[in-house]
Amino acid sequence: MICSSTVNRRRSWGAMIDMGHNLDHEIIAEGVETLEQYQMLQKLGCEMAQGYLLSKPVSADSIAKLLDIKGLNHLISA
């Protein structure tokens, strides 16, 4: 059984994601802490996420190294 708070969260997030898409915006979820949250956001059409699930906060100097280690260095501009 899915608890009512999960259903309400899914409805709220879905409505916000739909509104952003209707305004031709890509959606970035902030504060994603669990795999369950991440998977739900993906199912709802969220394009990007940030939060402790993916990485603890890092300094600007450290981000290039972190992206390189994760094989995502193509995401930073030269």
Side-chain angles (χ1 to χ4, degrees):
M1 182 173 145
I2 299 174
C3 69
S4 62
S5 64
T6 300
V7 171
N8 288 338
R9 185 179 310 123
R10 185 178 298 145
R11 286 180 184 157
S12 296
W13 289 357
M16 288 184 273
I17 290 168
D18 287 344
M19 182 174 56
H21 286 156
N22 289 336
L23 295 169
D24 295 322
H25 293 288
E26 289 185 342
I27 308 304
I28 303 171
E30 185 175 308
V32 179
E33 296 181 358
T34 68
L35 184 58
E36 178 187 19
Q37 290 172 337
Y38 183 75
Q39 290 171 335
M40 185 186 308
L41 288 161
Q42 281 188 313
K43 287 178 185 176
L44 293 170
C46 183
E47 288 86 6
M48 293 179 255
Q50 65 181 44
Y52 276 97
L53 175 67
L54 305 168
S55 172
K56 66 178 184 172
V58 296
S59 68
D61 294 336
S62 301
I63 193 67
K65 183 177 178 181
L66 177 65
L67 290 174
D68 189 45
I69 289 169
K70 294 190 178 227
L72 301 172
N73 52 353
H74 63 279
L75 297 176
I76 55 176
S77 55

